[in-house]
Amino acid sequence: MAAPKHRRTALERVEKFLSEIYFTDCNLRGRLFADRCPPASLSCFQTPRRIPYDEAIRQEFRPAKVGDSFGPTWETCWFKVELSIPLAWAGREVHFVWESDGEGMVWQDAQPVQGLTKEGEKTSYILTSSLKETEPHSLTLYVELACNGLFGAGKGSMIAPPDPDRRFTLSKAELVVFNRDVYELLVDLEILLDMARLLGEENQRSFQALYTANQMVNVCDVMDPSTFPAARDLAAAIFSQRNGESQHTIHAVGHCHIDSAWLWPYEETIRKCARSWVTVVRLMECNPELTFACSQAQQFEWVRSWYPGLYAQIQDFVAKGQFIPVGGTWVEMVRIMDGNLPSGESMVRQFLQGQRFFQEQFGRICSEFWLPDTFGYSAQLPQLMRGCGIRRFLTQKLSWNLVNTFPHHTFFWEGIDGSRVLTHFPPGDSYGMHGQVEEMLKTVKNNKDKGRVNHSALLFGFGDGGGGPTQKMLDRIKRMSDTDGLPRVQISTPDRLFSVLEKESSQLCTWVGELFLELHNGTYTTQAQIKKGNRECERILHDVEVLSTLAVVRGGAFKYPASQLQRLWRLLLLNQFHDVLPGSCIQLVVEDALQHYTEIRRVGTQLQEEAVQSLCRELLQPKAGSAKSTLGLNTLPWERTEVISRAGPAGTEALALVTVPSMGYAIVREPLLPAQPVSVRKQEDGSITMENGVVTVCLDMMGHLTSLRLVGSERESVPDGCYANQFALFDDVPLYWDAWDVMDYHLETRKPVTTLLKPLEITLAGGLRGSASFSLQIGKSSTLTQEIILDATCPCLRFLTQVEWKEAHKFLKVEFPVQVRSTNATYEIQFGHLQRPTHWNTSWDWARFEVWAHKWLDLSEHGFGVALLNDCKYGASAHGNVLSLSLLRAPKSPDATADITHHQFTYAVMPHLGSFQDAGVIQRAYNLNFPLHAVPASSAQSLAWSAFSVSSPAVVLETVKQAEGRPEAVVVRLYEAHGSTVDAWLQTSLPVKEVMLCDLLERPAAQGCLPLEQQGVRLSFTPFRLLSVLLVLRQ
């Protein structure tokens, strides 16, 4: 019989033969399942808690039936399912089929054995592949059903706040006979049909696939399985026709991205991991070639704690090389983990905790950094990766760019210090492929580096909410392994992929600097309390480590709180996951995160007090006749002269000007007198001027900064006719991703805040500190109160701000127009800074209308500039001559209550002569974020002690901590902050006997020993270089 003459009818004929909707009474799909029978018994009980199996099976179960609904959202239903397999099914493949709109886990013999999620195409558990008469025909299963879907329980849309009253229906629970030969034939035909449709009419292979599929329909009698082998032989003939040697090779790796918290709480993620990973283990038992890449040490730790039997199976498959730990970090950071917002030290700890966990549990560290889903990539990441033993990086999120298409899929990425890592973006632009023909063709067609490399990755498996690979995905990939007309596809590993890319890398291009995601830039500001908690807790852990290390070294019985610090760090790192710190999570997750920060503050404060008591015990104990004094503690590596608050008579607070040495303390009895006290004067027009001998300030009644000058300079910072400290409110309605995105068009809706509730009044008249305060109405129902503060000797004007925020879809910023002209502004990032344009010449420029920074941003021309500092904000911009700090947003999805609360934050403005480096902007920003500690003391003598100092202002000593697992050693971490090449002396009063360089995992470097000289230890830096130094102490 000749091939069909009409392409469309042939295509549709095959489609209908496979259809789940049409002609299922007589097509192939309708023969997938043969006999069916219901469970012998079905009963359940419901609980609001997520309880372990042992507790669940002891509960009282009540009768249940298919069609029943359960809920509300976040409840758990446990089902007891008693099954009796008919004797007539001997020799047949028997499945237990379960369908509901909740997520299920099958338990058998007290162990989790299979995840069941309709959205993840997993609705059956294979009881036997060929039922033997000797096998038991009666058995009992338990099904743990979570009352939430794969993507939570959004009301009306995926990212809407969860519907608290949603019900989840059990739509199917039955035993079935599964016709494996029908299934195999269906997969054959699906692939041939896709080849026919997608290869196109100009491709002869398309017609070969179509005619073969059509002939298979002719040959196949769905009522007569004996006709199936002949049909399958026709398909095999097509699949066995091989490719030429030049064909592109796709490395397919099983994958299951699980957000540690997002549209569901942390506790549900633990179960998502178990449901997904136990399914992978079942697949590996049947498919020894399957590989599965799994990141996030935190999730391994959860499964280890909650599902030890499953974890032991995972360890076996890790040893076999199938279950592959990747990533090297504790969580996938916001944005790595988040890749933008965590501090440099937090990023180091993500790697340190992650890599140490993988080494302890699996005997190896990760050689690839695996970050499929994050909201941008700091330009400091390449150096951090290299310092943690990682030279390879895989991600794909830049495919989400809204404006510009990133020009590469395989390239070298170079960080701000010059470190390079081989980077690969899977060209299919997804980390959740399904192994379909369309994805294979897209992977090749979309590849931006054709001709440079001939290999690429394809990550297959349901993701974000878990799920992972399915048997059907694997079976598709097997058929396409080397079929003419399609790229080669092989089940592979990350190491195999990167090894071949390294061999092909000679012609690869290099991308220098940050990988900026042109989307989700609202996440720099959303959920301000989480941002503030992150910054505060990073400071607390820094200070606890510094003070605890010094307390240990100064003698006494003090023990370094290593285990408590590890627990607190892991809590902080967990919250840096890329939907928590960015604020793109539901209210339940926000509540969990804020509780974590409360715990870090509580325990951290206690640890800090214990360290100070041990470090300074002699100075704090009351002695007869001793005078009251103040102990000032400085955890930063430079001497500081600042105004502090200390206890005055009768419990009052008094101000004092003190000088405290670098990383040390000083007893202050008689405070310093400033060369010039702060003066505050009210003018006839209601404006207020302040001066402290360093800067002169003029403020109008609205709290606007109308003049800002450095004393002794004629240079005005604020342009004529402009107001700095100008609040502006913007409409903030993105296209879809509410908590995530702020769109460029929001800038067209700017409305200056002009409603004055309380005009500017003097609150402190001067001396050591002058201040004035005012109140504004923001929008329809919010209020802002601000105290503007100038301290003696300080070049910064601070703005202590309190907001009662009650807006919806509004964005609050504060603007500082400055009399500076420069085509670039400078922003602090982790362990350094970078420049971004202040103009919108190109699409790459204007796509960065809203960017991120850490503690400061600066706009400078030669000889003069103005910096904006902050204590807990991340969103910022500099366009033309206007510096803006993003303060608050008000999205309604996925948390309808996001940011609707009281907020307190501080920012500061600092004019300076010369460069921001020479003017000390970096140090002033640290000072704002790491205030001096003032403790009442009783010493009669004035004395000071310093543990560490650094000879060059270009070098910041960021971290002092006890070495991991080495109580006799201290690790100090320093970085070059100016962007210069410099030698610096690290001086210490600690009893050091040996000094050596180490990597970020604290492994000593080869030939890393450094001489200890009279001036200390000499360290050599190139721009933004990060050095870790191991100090072995004399006992």
Side-chain angles (χ1 to χ4, degrees), residues 902-917:
H902 177 82
H903 299 270
Q904 179 176 312
F905 48 86
T906 296
Y907 54 88
V909 64
M910 177 180 167
H912 59 84
L913 296 176
S915 67
F916 69 84
Q917 293 98 325

mmCIF file of all heavy atoms in Angstrom, residues 902-917:
data_model
loop_
_atom_site.group_PDB
_atom_site.id
_atom_site.type_symbol
_atom_site.label_atom_id
_atom_site.label_comp_id
_atom_site.label_asym_id
_atom_site.label_seq_id
_atom_site.Cartn_x
_atom_site.Cartn_y
_atom_site.Cartn_z
ATOM 1 N N HIS A 902 5.240 48.177 60.619
ATOM 2 C CA HIS A 902 6.140 49.278 61.002
ATOM 3 C C HIS A 902 7.564 48.945 60.547
ATOM 4 O O HIS A 902 8.024 47.813 60.703
ATOM 5 C CB HIS A 902 6.106 49.464 62.525
ATOM 6 C CG HIS A 902 7.053 50.517 63.018
ATOM 7 N ND1 HIS A 902 6.736 51.864 62.997
ATOM 8 C CD2 HIS A 902 8.317 50.442 63.510
ATOM 9 C CE1 HIS A 902 7.761 52.555 63.476
ATOM 10 N NE2 HIS A 902 8.723 51.711 63.791
ATOM 11 N N HIS A 903 8.245 49.941 59.997
ATOM 12 C CA HIS A 903 9.624 49.756 59.542
ATOM 13 C C HIS A 903 10.529 50.818 60.161
ATOM 14 O O HIS A 903 10.113 51.972 60.327
ATOM 15 C CB HIS A 903 9.712 49.879 58.014
ATOM 16 C CG HIS A 903 8.905 48.855 57.286
ATOM 17 N ND1 HIS A 903 9.399 47.629 56.922
ATOM 18 C CD2 HIS A 903 7.616 48.881 56.847
ATOM 19 C CE1 HIS A 903 8.459 46.941 56.292
ATOM 20 N NE2 HIS A 903 7.368 47.676 56.243
ATOM 21 N N GLN A 904 11.747 50.406 60.475
ATOM 22 C CA GLN A 904 12.764 51.370 60.927
ATOM 23 C C GLN A 904 14.067 51.061 60.201
ATOM 24 O O GLN A 904 14.482 49.907 60.123
ATOM 25 C CB GLN A 904 12.976 51.288 62.438
ATOM 26 C CG GLN A 904 14.061 52.273 62.924
ATOM 27 C CD GLN A 904 14.201 52.276 64.435
ATOM 28 O OE1 GLN A 904 13.202 52.355 65.154
ATOM 29 N NE2 GLN A 904 15.423 52.194 64.929
ATOM 30 N N PHE A 905 14.678 52.094 59.660
ATOM 31 C CA PHE A 905 15.941 51.915 58.945
ATOM 32 C C PHE A 905 16.694 53.243 58.950
ATOM 33 O O PHE A 905 16.126 54.305 59.224
ATOM 34 C CB PHE A 905 15.703 51.436 57.508
ATOM 35 C CG PHE A 905 14.664 52.223 56.758
ATOM 36 C CD1 PHE A 905 15.002 53.387 56.083
ATOM 37 C CD2 PHE A 905 13.337 51.806 56.723
ATOM 38 C CE1 PHE A 905 14.052 54.125 55.388
ATOM 39 C CE2 PHE A 905 12.377 52.530 56.035
ATOM 40 C CZ PHE A 905 12.730 53.693 55.367
ATOM 41 N N THR A 906 17.971 53.147 58.655
ATOM 42 C CA THR A 906 18.827 54.334 58.618
ATOM 43 C C THR A 906 19.600 54.361 57.313
ATOM 44 O O THR A 906 20.095 53.328 56.852
ATOM 45 C CB THR A 906 19.826 54.325 59.798
ATOM 46 O OG1 THR A 906 19.089 54.397 61.021
ATOM 47 C CG2 THR A 906 20.781 55.506 59.727
ATOM 48 N N TYR A 907 19.667 55.535 56.716
ATOM 49 C CA TYR A 907 20.601 55.746 55.619
ATOM 50 C C TYR A 907 21.372 57.022 55.910
ATOM 51 O O TYR A 907 21.056 57.762 56.855
ATOM 52 C CB TYR A 907 19.892 55.788 54.251
ATOM 53 C CG TYR A 907 18.762 56.793 54.143
ATOM 54 C CD1 TYR A 907 19.002 58.114 53.754
ATOM 55 C CD2 TYR A 907 17.445 56.427 54.406
ATOM 56 C CE1 TYR A 907 17.973 59.040 53.646
ATOM 57 C CE2 TYR A 907 16.404 57.341 54.292
ATOM 58 C CZ TYR A 907 16.678 58.646 53.915
ATOM 59 O OH TYR A 907 15.672 59.561 53.808
ATOM 60 N N ALA A 908 22.415 57.279 55.161
ATOM 61 C CA ALA A 908 23.268 58.436 55.434
ATOM 62 C C ALA A 908 23.839 58.951 54.123
ATOM 63 O O ALA A 908 24.001 58.191 53.165
ATOM 64 C CB ALA A 908 24.404 58.056 56.386
ATOM 65 N N VAL A 909 24.136 60.250 54.095
ATOM 66 C CA VAL A 909 24.756 60.850 52.919
ATOM 67 C C VAL A 909 26.117 61.398 53.332
ATOM 68 O O VAL A 909 26.281 61.931 54.434
ATOM 69 C CB VAL A 909 23.853 61.941 52.293
ATOM 70 C CG1 VAL A 909 23.653 63.118 53.250
ATOM 71 C CG2 VAL A 909 24.404 62.409 50.961
ATOM 72 N N MET A 910 27.109 61.222 52.451
ATOM 73 C CA MET A 910 28.483 61.616 52.783
ATOM 74 C C MET A 910 29.125 62.289 51.567
ATOM 75 O O MET A 910 29.493 61.631 50.599
ATOM 76 C CB MET A 910 29.294 60.374 53.191
ATOM 77 C CG MET A 910 30.758 60.673 53.477
ATOM 78 S SD MET A 910 31.648 59.175 53.935
ATOM 79 C CE MET A 910 33.350 59.768 53.823
ATOM 80 N N PRO A 911 29.281 63.621 51.609
ATOM 81 C CA PRO A 911 30.055 64.285 50.555
ATOM 82 C C PRO A 911 31.549 64.084 50.840
ATOM 83 O O PRO A 911 31.949 63.903 51.989
ATOM 84 C CB PRO A 911 29.654 65.756 50.716
ATOM 85 C CG PRO A 911 29.336 65.893 52.174
ATOM 86 C CD PRO A 911 28.799 64.566 52.629
ATOM 87 N N HIS A 912 32.356 64.091 49.797
ATOM 88 C CA HIS A 912 33.792 63.877 50.052
ATOM 89 C C HIS A 912 34.631 64.525 48.963
ATOM 90 O O HIS A 912 34.211 64.638 47.801
ATOM 91 C CB HIS A 912 34.105 62.379 50.129
ATOM 92 C CG HIS A 912 33.751 61.603 48.889
ATOM 93 N ND1 HIS A 912 34.570 61.518 47.795
ATOM 94 C CD2 HIS A 912 32.642 60.867 48.575
ATOM 95 C CE1 HIS A 912 34.006 60.767 46.865
ATOM 96 N NE2 HIS A 912 32.823 60.357 47.307
ATOM 97 N N LEU A 913 35.814 64.958 49.362
ATOM 98 C CA LEU A 913 36.832 65.387 48.405
ATOM 99 C C LEU A 913 37.610 64.161 47.954
ATOM 100 O O LEU A 913 37.682 63.165 48.660
ATOM 101 C CB LEU A 913 37.778 66.404 49.060
ATOM 102 C CG LEU A 913 37.142 67.732 49.496
ATOM 103 C CD1 LEU A 913 38.171 68.591 50.210
ATOM 104 C CD2 LEU A 913 36.560 68.476 48.302
ATOM 105 N N GLY A 914 38.221 64.236 46.783
ATOM 106 C CA GLY A 914 39.001 63.107 46.283
ATOM 107 C C GLY A 914 38.108 61.931 45.927
ATOM 108 O O GLY A 914 36.901 62.055 45.750
ATOM 109 N N SER A 915 38.726 60.751 45.836
ATOM 110 C CA SER A 915 37.978 59.535 45.473
ATOM 111 C C SER A 915 37.254 58.996 46.701
ATOM 112 O O SER A 915 37.606 59.304 47.843
ATOM 113 C CB SER A 915 38.947 58.477 44.946
ATOM 114 O OG SER A 915 39.793 58.036 46.004
ATOM 115 N N PHE A 916 36.255 58.180 46.460
ATOM 116 C CA PHE A 916 35.553 57.560 47.602
ATOM 117 C C PHE A 916 36.494 56.648 48.372
ATOM 118 O O PHE A 916 36.355 56.465 49.583
ATOM 119 C CB PHE A 916 34.310 56.801 47.126
ATOM 120 C CG PHE A 916 34.588 55.552 46.334
ATOM 121 C CD1 PHE A 916 34.843 54.344 46.951
ATOM 122 C CD2 PHE A 916 34.591 55.587 44.937
ATOM 123 C CE1 PHE A 916 35.092 53.195 46.216
ATOM 124 C CE2 PHE A 916 34.841 54.443 44.194
ATOM 125 C CZ PHE A 916 35.100 53.239 44.824
ATOM 126 N N GLN A 917 37.494 56.073 47.672
ATOM 127 C CA GLN A 917 38.456 55.211 48.366
ATOM 128 C C GLN A 917 39.256 56.027 49.388
ATOM 129 O O GLN A 917 39.336 55.676 50.571
ATOM 130 C CB GLN A 917 39.416 54.552 47.372
ATOM 131 C CG GLN A 917 38.765 53.539 46.429
ATOM 132 C CD GLN A 917 38.434 54.111 45.067
ATOM 133 O OE1 GLN A 917 38.077 55.286 44.959
ATOM 134 N NE2 GLN A 917 38.524 53.288 44.018
#
